[in-house]
Amino acid sequence: MRMMQWMIAGVLVLLPVQTHWLISQPRVLGSVWEFGSARLLVMECIVAGLALVLWLPWWRARSFRARVATIVGIAGIFVWSVMVSGGAIVALVHGVHAVCALLLGVLLFQSVTLFGSRWVLSWFVAGGVLWAGLGLVQWFTQSVIASTYLGIAAHAPEVAGDAVVMVRDTRMLRVYGPMPHPNIFGGLMVAYCYAALLLLRVLSPGARVHRALVVAALTLTSVALVLSFSRSAWLAGIVLLLVAVSWRAWKVWIRTLAVPAIAVVIVVLLLGSGITSRLQTHTPLESQSRNERVESVQDGLSLVAQAPALGTGLGLATASLHANDDARVGWSLQPPHFTPLLALVELGFVGVIIFGFCVRFLPWHLGLLVLIPGLFFDHYLWSLPAGMTVLTAIWILSTIQARLALESTEC
């Protein structure tokens, strides 16, 4: 069990690592078709192996109805990734991603049961320091260096198609961290901020050194969140403050959050033009972003009309777009930037009903409100394995918050 504990600690720290086996990466009209690619993450394989070791005690603790929902859910993933999709490799791999996200939830849930909330949160926050630090290095160097070992692609502000923001009329590269896009990095930083806030709740007031380290970690991840320039992540951060902080003890929390708040304000003031540009709609970059989002939703509605009952199959929304119009370049083949619509596109009405039946047996807590901005204004929580990791982590953090509300007193 000691070896298992250290392995889980390593997973908590290195969870965002995107080292992968690239199965296929097609190009359309000379442009990479990212959502037509198929890859397996090394971390998914490690998580699956550890989770299967802990599966039996988790399974025994579930109710009969929850067991039925789990079986139906896994069977549904098989049907929509094999039968509905016609066995497309992208759908098969997407089904594996979905199952691994479920197994990650099992691993994290059982880790809390076996080793305690404080242990899990501490290691997770330690990982947040590592990846937020990487994001800050990328911001100051204005480059993302490619790394096969970490699964990171190269990015630079002068490269067309890379995510940038205009700061004083200068193209500045948004922070990617270890993630494939800054929006996902922003969602990841929200998860780390969430964990840090919960850890502050579980630590005693006398643990001054530990609390100081957690506040420093919260400061670092909060600054990295700002530098992602992800509007959905910013909204999620605001929601997080509303649901994860008990403002009944507002004097204590104001003192605790003073340093992170001051750091965020300083960054916002220094990068005011960049922040403002992300909040405006008339700038060229934001107009393009808005138009692409509107077009993606229109594409999604047209795909629902084509296959309303069973959908396209898991991960095949963009494949259907390509089948409808093979003159579109790879980068324009994007899923709808509205996750409920994307789920409807790929699962159809039948699949969404089955999915809703299964999800209702998962633990639901107030902290899940943090997911709403990402679900409503983006697609990565459904369409990419990195996004599924963020979704699962936030879901488990919401269960930890509910547990702390019962087990501990307010700091």
Side-chain angles (χ1 to χ4, degrees):
M1 182 59 72
R2 188 71 174 176
M3 179 64 69
M4 171 69 74
Q5 187 174 8
W6 279 111
M7 292 178 68
I8 294 175
V11 167
L12 290 170
V13 173
L14 302 176
L15 190 59
V17 171
Q18 299 295 294
T19 309
H20 59 264
W21 170 39
L22 184 61
I23 301 172
S24 66
Q25 188 175 51
R27 301 178 72 90
V28 178
L29 299 179
S31 175
V32 172
W33 177 12
E34 185 61 37
F35 293 97
S37 303
R39 66 192 70 204
L40 284 176
L41 301 186
V42 173
M43 187 56 67
E44 287 180 319
C45 299
I46 296 173
V47 165
L50 293 174
L52 290 174
V53 174
L54 300 175
W55 177 270
L56 190 58
W58 177 85
W59 181 257
R60 287 173 175 170
R62 307 279 72 78
S63 66
F64 173 76
R65 296 178 68 186
R67 292 179 185 179
V68 170
T70 303
I71 294 172
V72 171
I74 294 176
I77 291 172
F78 174 81
V79 169
W80 266 266
S81 64
V82 177
M83 299 176 65
V84 174
S85 70
I89 186 65
V90 173
L92 291 172
V93 173
H94 203 76
V96 172
H97 295 325
V99 171
C100 288
L102 172 64
L103 293 176
L104 174 60
V106 171
L107 179 64
L108 295 179
F109 188 91
Q110 286 301 106
S111 297
V112 173
T113 302
L114 291 173
F115 310 123
S117 301
R118 177 174 172 174
W119 184 88
V120 171
L121 292 171
S122 295
W123 281 107
F124 190 63
V125 170
V129 173
L130 174 64
W131 303 115
L134 174 63
L136 292 183
V137 170
Q138 292 173 353
W139 174 260
F140 286 113
T141 61
Q142 277 298 289
S143 67
V144 177
I145 300 174
S147 171
T148 303
Y149 297 109
L150 297 178
I152 298 176
H155 299 282
E158 64 273 10
V159 176
D162 284 353
V164 298
V165 64
M166 298 302 294
V167 178
R168 302 183 188 92
D169 297 324
T170 302
R171 287 171 61 93
M172 301 290 287
L173 187 70
R174 294 168 58 189
V175 171
Y176 281 74
M179 297 286 100
H181 194 276
N183 287 354
I184 311 177
F185 179 74
L188 179 67
M189 289 302 107
V190 171
Y192 286 131
C193 289
Y194 196 171
L197 289 173
L198 295 181
L199 188 53
L200 287 171
R201 294 180 65 165
V202 77
L203 292 175
S204 65
R208 295 184 178 180
V209 174
H210 199 167
R211 290 179 67 86
L213 292 174
V214 176
V215 170
L218 179 59
T219 303
L220 191 64
T221 52
S222 298
V223 170
L225 170 59
V226 175
L227 295 179
S228 73
F229 288 92
S230 169
R231 289 166 296 194
S232 61
W234 290 346
L235 285 174
I238 294 172
V239 175
L240 176 62
L241 287 177
L242 297 177
V243 301
V245 174
S246 176
W247 293 108
R248 289 175 297 179
W250 62 272
K251 292 183 179 179
V252 174
W253 278 105
I254 286 179
R255 290 197 299 269
T256 301
L257 300 178
V259 173
I262 291 172
V264 168
V265 170
I266 291 174
V267 173
V268 170
L269 291 176
L270 291 175
L271 304 175
S273 59
I275 302 292
T276 302
S277 70
R278 290 294 287 163
L279 301 177
Q280 295 174 341
T281 59
H282 63 272
T283 61
L285 286 175
E286 299 312 315
S287 296
Q288 179 183 351
S289 175
R290 183 184 68 251
N291 293 337
E292 289 175 353
R293 289 171 181 271
V294 171
E295 182 181 354
S296 73
V297 171
Q298 293 173 343
D299 288 338
L301 293 173
S302 67
L303 292 177
V304 171
Q306 291 178 19
L310 297 179
T312 63
L314 282 175
L316 295 182
T318 61
S320 295
L321 291 176
H322 182 251
N324 293 338
D325 183 5
D326 59 6
R328 295 177 63 162
V329 295
W331 62 263
S332 70
L333 295 170
Q334 295 278 329
H337 283 68
F338 182 55
T339 304
L341 176 58
L342 176 57
L344 183 59
V345 167
E346 296 186 352
L347 301 180
F349 286 99
V350 174
V352 166
I353 292 172
I354 295 174
F355 178 72
F357 165 78
C358 298
V359 169
R360 66 186 292 266
F361 290 100
L362 293 174
W364 287 77
H365 302 291
L366 186 64
L368 292 179
L369 292 174
V370 175
L371 291 171
I372 289 179
L375 292 172
F376 278 31
F377 301 109
D378 220 312
H379 57 74
Y380 65 84
L381 294 173
W382 178 280
S383 61
L384 292 171
M388 293 181 187
T389 297
V390 172
L391 182 142
T392 303
I394 291 178
W395 205 304
I396 297 301
L397 288 171
S398 75
T399 68
I400 293 177
Q401 181 181 352
R403 179 174 297 197
L404 293 181
L406 296 175
E407 296 179 353
S408 65
T409 58
E410 196 62 57
C411 65

